[in-house]
């Protein structure tokens, strides 16, 4: 009876480990096939290094160790308190992106980190936006 129980437990453990490994492989395959929405803005080399990780807030990352670029979905407010949303790509402290203003217009912005998860964006007309990482 105990031998049968041990064999059953062993079979269940093997099945569980194989299932877990299969889930991990499927997640890695999904990440390898991920194509960013702004793929046309990335170089061929950046596209080769696209990496996603659901444990972190960034949408995806490009580059190699020590030389990463990150992409974030953001939301925030313009100088008048109107809501804006968008997507930005950052390297170190600075980056660029596109936000959609309250009127639905897409606006190109330059962005810089001001605090953890907080960014300041400026458009070509000098308008400023306070953004947070979603």
């Amino acid at each position: 009876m105990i031998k049968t129980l041990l064999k059953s437990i062993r079979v269940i453990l093997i099945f569980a480990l194989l299932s877990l490994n299969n889930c991990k492989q499927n997640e890695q395959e999904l990440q390898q096939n991920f194509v960013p929405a702004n793929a046309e803005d990335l170089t061929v080399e950046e596209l080769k290094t696209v990496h996603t990780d659901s444990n972190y807030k960034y949408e995806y990352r490009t580059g190699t160790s020590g030389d990463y670029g990150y992409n974030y979905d953001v939301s925030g407010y313009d100088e008048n308190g109107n809501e804006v949303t968008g997507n930005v790509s950052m390297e170190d402290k600075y980056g660029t992106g596109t936000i959609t203003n309250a009127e639905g217009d897409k606006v190109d912005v330059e962005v810089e980190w001001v605090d953890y998860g907080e960014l300041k964006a400026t458009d070509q007309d000098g308008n400023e936006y306070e953004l947070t990482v979603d």
Side-chain angles (χ1 to χ4, degrees), residues 55-117:
N55 294 323
Y56 297 96
K57 283 192 168 187
Y58 60 83
E59 176 103 358
Y60 65 87
R61 175 183 82 200
T62 61
T64 56
S65 183
D67 187 31
Y68 292 123
Y70 293 89
N71 181 271
Y72 300 94
D73 288 328
V74 294
S75 59
Y77 299 92
D78 65 14
E79 296 169 322
N80 299 320
N82 299 312
E83 283 191 56
V84 297
T85 60
N87 186 273
V88 299
S89 295
M90 304 295 293
E91 289 186 25
D92 296 322
K93 186 177 178 178
Y94 301 97
T96 59
T98 303
I99 59 171
T100 303
N101 64 21
E103 290 80 38
D105 300 325
K106 296 204 179 288
V107 180
D108 291 330
V109 292
E110 292 187 14
V111 188
E112 70 176 288
W113 289 110
V114 292
D115 202 350
Y116 182 79

Side-chain angles (χ1 to χ4, degrees), residues 15-91:
F15 180 73
L17 288 173
L18 289 174
S19 295
L20 182 62
N21 188 40
N22 191 30
C23 288
K24 208 171 217 181
Q25 286 176 338
N26 287 341
E27 185 177 321
Q28 288 172 347
E29 288 173 11
L30 285 173
Q31 289 177 355
Q32 290 172 351
N33 295 328
F34 175 79
V35 178
N38 67 336
E40 69 276 355
D41 296 335
L42 301 176
T43 67
V44 172
E45 289 304 311
E46 287 174 325
L47 284 171
K48 289 180 184 176
T49 63
V50 168
H51 171 78
T52 61
D53 190 333
S54 60
N55 294 323
Y56 297 96
K57 283 192 168 187
Y58 60 83
E59 176 103 358
Y60 65 87
R61 175 183 82 200
T62 61
T64 56
S65 183
D67 187 31
Y68 292 123
Y70 293 89
N71 181 271
Y72 300 94
D73 288 328
V74 294
S75 59
Y77 299 92
D78 65 14
E79 296 169 322
N80 299 320
N82 299 312
E83 283 191 56
V84 297
T85 60
N87 186 273
V88 299
S89 295
M90 304 295 293
E91 289 186 25

